[in-house]
Amino acid sequence: MNRRRAVALVVIVALLLVALAALRWAMRAETVGRFLLDMAGAAAGLEIEAAEFDYRLRGTPDLVAHGVVARVPGNPSPLLSADRVLLSVPWATLRARGAVLDVQRLELDAPVLDLPAFQRWWAQRPAGDGAAPAFVDGIRIVDGRIDADGWRLEALDVDLPRFAMDAPLRAHARGRYVAASLQAPFDLHMAMTRVAAQAGIGIAGTTTPATTGWRLPAWLRLSGHLDTRDGRIAVQRTTLALRGRLQLADATHPLVTGIAGDLLLAGGGLRIEPLAVSLRGQGLLPQLRAGGNLVLHDGLSLVLDGSIAEWPAAWPLLPPPLDRVEGPTPFALGYDGAPDLSAPLALRLARADACFEGRVRLDAIAGWLDQLDAGTPLPPVTGTFHAPALEIPGAILHGVEIRIHEETVDDDRARHD
């Protein structure tokens, strides 16, 4: 071998070594992982990073990222984090270097979404649907959580068999709603006409809200029109039908309720305004219709104004002449407190010219029911009752005012009075 051939051979071997080193570097899990996360982050307008990566290249390339965190650029707080993310990406998507966004499958283990941060990010997204990937084999979420102000969804499992823009979507979600002492496990199936800014949405399934003193196993069906234009997340013309059995103390009270209104998710909370409510109850539960609004944020705020069709037979008997009044009983109520309904409820009832204004402690209803047979007819209320006249055996009382309060009168004061 002459000197020229030897030099050429050395150059070729060196180039092969450099190429192999470059190929090994390019095929490292961290290199591939960061490339895919950068591609996903560029599409979403987020900074996405992970603690470590694993990958498999046989067949459809699979990338597994651990300790994944997604942030809005310039904001140190995570918008989304996950213990594990599996991303299965076809070779055609990798070769297109972001020009094609098709993904085979996405799996997330223990993801945590900051809902207020998500809503701020969503509101800042460019107008229009924008480019979004299609997930051929769907999306799977295990043990997820969504954190909001004053409430959260936890133990969230979601299965989407397929996800593509402008295509029908079906999903199955199970989890638990938690707000203070109120918990509501749910198992729901969802369908959308298409994944787009304006689409019809339907949800059906079961839920069982429960807290101290009561439990409500129920079946529900919700429908509406999803609107995600202009950075908002709303469900317009929402209708919710719920059939359940309210369990109070040792008694069960069947009910059917309907709710209608425009639902808006904003600022980490939920608002329904205007809100229309109808209730057909049995036992202690009345038949009523009302309108108002509802806000769920750090707490629950509810305002309703309506009428009770007729005085329920299970409620305390009205004194004459109020028991002879025919027609509905107007009412107004307001609640502002913890979402588990543990705060007092402001209530106003009017019947003919008589009126009650005061507060009701819903968390004490169960204890009151237990004492009804012992001769405790008054529910757990405080307030003032006014009536032009009341009839008692042998007399008629005029200009009646009765004040009900929770203050305990001790024995010494009672004897001196």
Side-chain angles (χ1 to χ4, degrees):
M1 179 182 297
N2 59 34
R3 182 179 179 85
R4 180 174 296 177
R5 289 181 177 178
V7 171
L9 182 60
V10 169
V11 171
I12 292 172
V13 170
L15 290 174
L16 286 174
L17 290 174
V18 170
L20 288 173
L23 180 63
R24 182 179 179 185
W25 176 86
M27 300 309 292
R28 289 172 57 205
E30 183 175 351
T31 303
V32 175
R34 295 197 183 284
F35 166 74
L36 291 177
L37 291 188
D38 288 345
M39 185 175 66
L46 297 171
E47 296 175 350
I48 307 176
E49 58 185 24
E52 58 181 4
F53 300 90
D54 296 316
Y55 74 99
R56 179 180 65 84
L57 296 179
R58 184 177 301 175
T60 301
D62 289 342
L63 172 75
V64 178
H66 301 274
V68 177
V69 177
R71 298 181 176 89
V72 175
N75 190 335
S77 300
L79 181 148
L80 173 70
S81 63
D83 288 352
R84 171 186 172 272
V85 175
L86 179 144
L87 194 63
S88 183
V89 184
W91 284 108
T93 300
L94 293 175
R95 287 193 293 267
R97 302 182 67 85
V100 177
L101 297 178
D102 289 344
V103 177
Q104 198 70 28
R105 182 168 174 81
L106 174 65
E107 296 179 1
L108 297 95
D109 291 354
V112 178
L113 176 70
D114 184 327
L115 183 60
F118 172 81
Q119 291 174 331
R120 289 191 295 270
W121 167 78
W122 184 263
Q124 296 170 0
R125 296 289 292 160
D129 289 340
F135 295 88
V136 178
D137 290 335
I139 301 172
R140 174 68 173 163
I141 298 173
V142 177
D143 194 23
R145 195 175 83 225
I146 298 177
D147 290 337
D149 292 331
W151 59 276
R152 67 183 182 276
L153 301 180
E154 63 181 26
L156 192 60
D157 292 345
V158 180
D159 185 24
L160 288 79
R162 176 177 171 78
F163 181 95
M165 298 296 292
D166 295 320
L169 178 143
R170 296 188 181 277
H172 180 205
R174 291 174 295 181
R176 183 169 54 248
Y177 169 86
V178 179
S181 65
L182 176 66
Q183 296 195 14
F186 57 84
D187 189 336
L188 304 173
H189 291 268
M190 182 183 74
M192 293 177 61
T193 55
R194 60 193 179 109
V195 185
Q198 291 180 286
I201 182 172
I203 298 174
T206 59
T207 183
T208 306
T211 187
T212 305
W214 62 269
R215 186 171 179 268
L216 178 59
W219 173 89
L220 64 84
R221 182 179 66 239
L222 180 146
S223 64
H225 294 268
L226 182 67
D227 185 358
T228 58
R229 296 173 300 172
D230 303 324
R232 55 190 270 125
I233 304 175
V235 182
Q236 298 176 338
R237 300 189 295 280
T238 305
T239 60
L240 169 66
L242 184 145
R243 181 185 298 113
R245 302 177 68 85
L246 178 63
Q247 298 171 357
L248 282 170
D250 295 328
T252 299
H253 308 274
L255 66 88
V256 176
T257 187
I259 297 174
D262 291 335
L263 185 152
L264 175 65
L265 282 168
L270 178 148
R271 174 185 292 271
I272 304 178
E273 186 177 13
L275 170 68
V277 178
S278 67
L279 172 66
R280 297 201 316 269
Q282 300 179 28
L284 280 176
L285 302 177
Q287 297 189 26
L288 61 82
R289 292 181 178 272
N293 62 75
L294 179 149
V295 177
L296 179 62
H297 199 259
D298 292 329
L300 172 65
S301 177
L302 173 66
V303 176
L304 288 177
D305 194 337
S307 62
I308 300 170
E310 58 183 28
W311 195 263
W315 286 13
L317 295 175
L318 292 171
L322 299 182
D323 60 343
R324 298 192 294 269
V325 175
E326 296 182 355
T329 300
F331 76 92
L333 64 82
Y335 180 85
D336 192 2
D340 60 1
L341 301 177
S342 57
L345 179 81
L347 176 65
R348 184 180 188 276
L349 284 171
R351 192 164 178 86
D353 294 328
C355 177
F356 169 80
E357 292 188 59
R359 294 182 175 274
V360 181
R361 292 186 294 114
L362 297 179
D363 57 352
I365 292 290
W368 168 64
L369 291 175
D370 286 338
Q371 299 176 25
L372 275 178
D373 294 337
T376 308
L378 287 179
V381 301
T382 59
T384 304
F385 171 76
H386 296 273
L390 288 182
E391 299 174 9
I392 62 174
I396 298 178
L397 305 178
H398 296 276
V400 176
E401 178 178 302
I402 301 174
R403 297 179 182 177
I404 307 170
H405 54 79
E406 294 180 322
E407 181 181 355
T408 301
V409 179
D410 61 49
D411 292 341
D412 289 338
R413 286 180 55 192
R415 282 193 295 267
H416 284 89
D417 292 344

